[in-house]
Amino acid sequence: MITENNGRFLIETDHTSYLFYVDPAGFLTHLYYGEKLFLTEDGIDAMIPVISNQNGCSIIADQKESTVSLDDWCQEASSRGRGDLGQPMIELVYADGSRSSDFRFESFRIERIKEQPDGLPGAYKEEEQEGSSLVIVLRDQKSRTVLELVYSVFEECDCITRFARVRNEGEEPVRILRLMSTQLDVRTDGQQKILSFSGEWAREMEPVETILSASRFTVESGGGTSSNKANPFIIFGETELSETYGQCYGFNLLYSGNHQETLEIGGHGRARFLSGIHPEFLEITLQPLESFCSPEAVQTFSDGGYQQISLHMHAFVREHIVRGYWKKKERPILINSWEAMYFDVREKKVLKLAKEAAKAGIELFVLDDGWFGKRNSDKEALGDWKDNTEKLPGGLAGLSERIHAMGMKFGIWVEPEMVSENSELYRAHPDYAVTVPGTEPARGRNQLLLDLTREEVQEYLIREMTGVFTRSRADYVKWDMNRNFSDYYSQALPAEEQGIFAHRYVLGLYRVIRELTERFPKILFEGCASGGNRFDLGMLCYMPQIWASDCTDALQRARIQNGYSYGYPQSVLGAHVSASPNHQTLRRIPLESRFAIACAGVLGYECNLSDLSAGELAEIREEVKLYKEWREVLQFGQFYRLKGHAAKGRFDTEAVRWNIVSPDGTRAVGITFQNQVLPNYSHRYLKTRGLLEDRIYHVYNRSLKYDIRRMGDLINTVSPIPVKQDSLLHGALSHLVQLDGEKEDHIVTGSILNKAGIPLASGYQGTGFEGNTAFYQDYDARIFLIEEAAPAEGTGIREAVSRSGGK
Ligand code: DGJ
């Protein structure tokens, strides 16, 4: 809800209040953002700071009206020129060359934003309510330039979004050097903890905690995309912050290009957070009556550490970012051809793989790279979106028909934003590529970027992709993008507009994907940029899921998905089971564990099923069955990290411990992944979060068997005949005898599971398999299924609890 009274503005979500006011000089002053307040007029008066002593060298913003030094003032939108020496939210150069701005309050309106301006993506409401946005109008006193600050409220997920728009209402041109999307100034005791997410290819979303005491902390991307180096999602707050403790703020940006987030602590303890388009990649001149709009940013507050930020952000992404046909639909289980055949796509192989997948119950076949033009390696053919009929004699249409006839959906891979120099497209239109004439272009994965700032290139892509999606009768599209920007240049822009190239590219991309997703509303689009090089809320406004990382190694994936989980829900994360040894790390990880990690996202398989043993295929059939039964919980449930990103103690040997609870609290899945086993430490336990405390649950695990070869030559401690490790005999015995997995079967209250936890079967520790021993070694994982159970007839909760306790 948004209310205004006498120049005081209050934005309230279900559990938070955001308060600012117009001070006597017209500066927009931030008062509070945090836990919901019970407010009165007098109360707000009491919250307004009074600073009457000007300190040493400080600048007084307006001598007539107030004694305020903006350098020590919490503001809603800072600029240079009136004494605020912190980083500005907006920086302009006026016609006379001056960079001093003086934005003061002029008016406000409460309205409904129907569509995000400038073709940018915007947060979305199922039923747009009137009055869900507040527009504050500020005006520069000299140039008459208008700065509009737009706030929208998303009550139920405790989120507020912001963006800013500049309009030149003067008579001279105005140059924008920066226009950030959001600013939050808060009073601190001089220190803040920041949780940011850095990374690289195959190492996306590594959580990094930093304590900032003074000066500035920056997260930024400069490679043209939102980047795997620095995701725009960030949290900051009090220094004691942990998974479940502490007051903090979480932010994200609905933008897919170069961005920057900064947190700065000034000499008086004011912490200023800014987020928006990276100012180094934004330079645009506004002629009279022209305007420019920043992307939208979202923010939330938690008084319960990182976990609450995650829950709010997940709800926001599920409800207000992902939209359209797939918004609430369960996503199909897919098989992707990439790691099974790379570029060596052949119809026969493809059909064989599809047949195995169909037998396993997999629902969607995705033909990855290698199907088009003369594409046999990453050196050629990008841009030539014609079927390669040597590889696929029936073309895409024929293949798709045969896959559909197997009862599966058909999906196709494309990388539309790129061109190979060895391609028909490049030979016909070299100017479509992003190059600086007269210089040798820098290549990435042997390819060049197409100039999406140009309308004819956008049209070309829309036409070509419409052709591909139509003739393949695609149910799914993987939209890939595999290089960073290097030459920031368009041959179609005049020299003075080159400074806006990167942003125009992003707008061109949004136009193309908006048109295509509107033209094909039922296609399930999955974004991808060498995995997670463009994993952001901008892309998610068009594509309901994103391939989280090219790294499919379950241990590394566990870390990556754990990182994503701070800001993004499982329903948007593509996660696949791949071969062992893994193609990126050569690590061997049991199939069960690979599944356990992949099932905490949108499940797929990406390996050559035709080469797997009958036992492995049977295992996969079971996994697929299980995933279908629990898919709603796994994809749309509330996600809890039972441990944060860092090891907690000497006995903390697990890479991740997650549990996911259905929205109604009646079903849940727990997942653990053992990193490195600790000898002589066999205690295992299951603890949860988010279960309904007063309900009774049945907790059980899957009945699994383990290959005796994993015990190596210890087989000789029980075998009547000597068995040479890894011999043919060892192999033959492994088919006859298997190790029984432990059995877990408990009836227990939600309160016990959430608060006390329950002990599980002891882990193997080198002294044999006695009773119910768990074979829980390096890289083993467990999945626990939790379902609400009716209390046994005639017994109350107490009896049920004591019964299960006596077991
Ligand atoms: C990079 C993607 O991330 C991979 O999954 C795969 O699609 C390749 N590109 C294909 O070239």
Side-chain angles (χ1 to χ4, degrees), residues 338 368-369 375 413 445 478 480 482 528 530-531 547 550:
W338 180 239
D368 209 282
D369 202 348
R375 180 81 166 166
W413 174 96
R445 210 191 184 205
K478 178 173 170 188
D480 205 349
N482 287 305
C528 173
S530 307
W547 178 226
D550 275 356

Side-chain angles (χ1 to χ4, degrees), residues 76-211:
E76 288 294 306
S78 54
S79 55
R80 293 204 200 277
R82 304 235 48 97
D84 185 345
L85 306 182
Q87 282 233 296
M89 178 177 170
I90 178 168
E91 189 170 9
L92 304 176
V93 186
Y94 299 101
D96 60 2
S98 117
R99 294 179 179 215
S100 286
S101 293
D102 188 1
F103 285 103
R104 312 262 182 134
F105 178 81
E106 185 173 275
S107 62
F108 77 96
R109 50 187 197 274
I110 295 177
E111 62 180 31
R112 170 162 94 90
I113 304 284
K114 293 199 191 81
E115 208 176 305
Q116 202 64 15
D118 285 9
L120 283 158
Y124 160 93
K125 290 194 171 183
E126 204 69 74
E127 277 173 45
E128 274 288 1
Q129 301 138 353
E130 289 303 326
S132 49
S133 298
L134 165 68
V135 183
I136 299 280
V137 181
L138 306 170
R139 192 178 287 276
D140 177 59
Q141 299 305 290
K142 182 176 167 202
S143 70
R144 313 304 296 151
T145 306
V146 165
L147 170 62
E148 285 185 349
L149 307 177
V150 184
Y151 302 76
S152 300
V153 58
F154 299 83
E155 282 92 349
E156 82 298 344
C157 49
D158 287 309
C159 286
I160 295 170
T161 66
R162 282 188 66 174
F163 67 90
R165 185 167 35 195
V166 181
R167 201 171 48 254
N168 181 358
E169 291 191 357
E171 274 150 28
E172 308 273 7
V174 173
R175 194 144 52 93
I176 301 179
L177 293 186
R178 70 155 66 203
L179 178 66
M180 305 308 276
S181 297
T182 194
Q183 165 171 343
L184 181 67
D185 284 3
V186 285
R187 291 249 152 254
T188 72
D189 59 7
Q191 274 203 335
Q192 291 284 282
K193 188 192 255 189
I194 303 162
L195 178 63
S196 60
F197 297 86
S198 62
E200 256 304 333
W201 174 77
R203 279 193 278 112
E204 293 86 347
M205 294 301 280
E206 291 171 352
V208 181
E209 283 183 332
T210 309
I211 300 285

Side-chain angles (χ1 to χ4, degrees), residues 511-572:
R511 189 221 148 183
V512 170
I513 57 180
R514 182 165 41 247
E515 275 208 42
L516 286 168
T517 49
E518 278 170 14
R519 230 176 247 194
F520 298 93
K522 289 197 175 163
I523 289 184
L524 172 59
F525 281 85
E526 177 157 352
C528 173
S530 307
N533 198 29
R534 196 165 59 189
F535 199 110
D536 58 68
L537 299 185
M539 290 310 286
L540 286 170
C541 284
Y542 304 99
M543 307 196 171
Q545 59 193 56
I546 300 180
W547 178 226
S549 173
D550 275 356
C551 187
T552 54
D553 169 271
L555 172 61
Q556 178 59 14
R557 252 315 179 111
R559 296 183 183 128
I560 293 171
Q561 289 175 213
N562 201 61
Y564 278 114
S565 78
Y566 284 87
Y568 304 89
Q570 329 76 271
S571 53
V572 305

Side-chain angles (χ1 to χ4, degrees), residues 347 371 387 389 392-404 410 412 467-468 470-474:
E347 190 167 85
W371 61 267
D387 303 355
T389 46
L392 306 174
L396 279 185
L399 180 67
S400 162
E401 199 179 319
R402 296 182 73 171
I403 304 273
H404 281 128
F410 182 69
I412 191 73
V468 173
T470 308
R471 71 177 183 276
S472 64
R473 287 182 43 225

